[in-house]
Amino acid sequence: CAPLFAKLAANGVWETPTMEFFQTLPDVFSGAPLPHSEYASNSLLKLTRDNVRVSHVSAKTLDKIRLADQLSLQAIHDMSVHGNHFLAGCDGLVPGFCLHDELEWLTKAGFTSLQSLQTATINPAHFFGRETSEGSIDIGKRANAVLLEADPTLNIRNIDDIAAVIIRGKLLTKPAIDRIISRHLRTKNQ
């Protein structure tokens, strides 16, 4: 695949592997709950249940998907080595949580934690031509940031230990975030 990977890189094609989705798919279609389902919208849960119900995916096909998932880790690593650019994404799963899981999968594919983080920060800013206003922290840029309790470059799962979030310049502390999540869960369970 090396010539194809080099050609994609030379043509500036950006990759969004959505590994978390494909890693999760066989388990969900085998009866496991959707990861982070307690935070999922009712419509996402219904869509997932309906997809499982009508798809009739065989155990043999799910095993093939699992094998392809493992092979994709090497392919994604090789694409990175050939200079391909990546964006983080996780179709059809619980927003936010699936992005954290996707960043972990990128490290399993050989990305450093920093490279993984860049797929969700500066890379999208470059892709959309907004690197002068977004994607990193600097004077004059949009004040959107996640403040963590521990260094995610040492362990990518440190992204789960959120201390605060800044959205459009407004600080949301951990207690405020916890209240929002609690309110969401109460509303969802009513």
Side-chain angles (χ1 to χ4, degrees), residues 7 44 46 55 65 73 85 94 142 155:
K7 186 175 182 177
L44 177 59
K46 181 182 181 320
S55 295
I65 293 170
L73 293 174
H85 299 287
V94 180
R142 291 179 193 224
N155 179 341

Side-chain angles (χ1 to χ4, degrees), residues 19-179:
M19 288 181 286
E20 174 60 12
F21 177 78
F22 289 103
Q23 296 288 340
T24 298
L25 187 71
D27 293 338
V28 170
F29 277 69
S30 296
L34 184 68
H36 316 291
S37 60
E38 64 273 24
Y39 303 104
S41 67
N42 290 331
S43 60
L44 177 59
L45 293 173
K46 181 182 181 320
L47 176 66
T48 302
R49 281 191 306 271
D50 290 348
N51 283 338
V52 169
R53 183 177 46 80
V54 300
S55 295
H56 307 290
V57 181
S58 71
K60 185 177 179 179
T61 299
L62 293 174
D63 287 340
K64 287 180 181 180
I65 293 170
R66 286 183 180 100
L67 176 60
D69 291 342
Q70 292 308 308
L71 296 174
S72 74
L73 293 174
Q74 183 63 48
I76 290 163
H77 172 267
D78 293 349
M79 292 178 86
S80 177
V81 168
H82 280 87
N84 285 266
H85 299 287
F86 287 83
L87 302 169
C90 50
D91 299 338
L93 299 173
V94 180
F97 296 94
C98 67
L99 185 63
H100 287 200
D101 296 339
E102 181 73 7
L103 297 181
E104 182 178 14
W105 278 110
L106 287 165
T107 64
K108 290 178 181 180
F111 286 48
T112 66
S113 292
L114 178 59
Q115 290 170 321
S116 176
L117 289 166
Q118 289 170 335
T119 68
T121 56
I122 194 66
N123 289 8
H126 283 305
F127 179 80
F128 288 111
R130 297 179 181 163
E131 60 272 11
T132 60
S133 63
E134 298 179 31
S136 62
I137 298 172
D138 203 354
I139 295 171
K141 289 192 173 189
R142 291 179 193 224
N144 294 323
V146 177
L147 307 175
L148 303 173
E149 294 287 346
D151 185 349
T153 63
L154 300 177
N155 179 341
I156 194 62
R157 285 320 302 202
N158 286 340
I159 59 177
D160 295 331
D161 199 3
I162 298 171
V165 175
I166 300 171
I167 301 173
R168 296 184 190 115
K170 180 181 178 186
L171 177 67
L172 291 174
T173 61
K174 180 69 172 158
I177 295 167
D178 290 342
R179 282 192 301 275

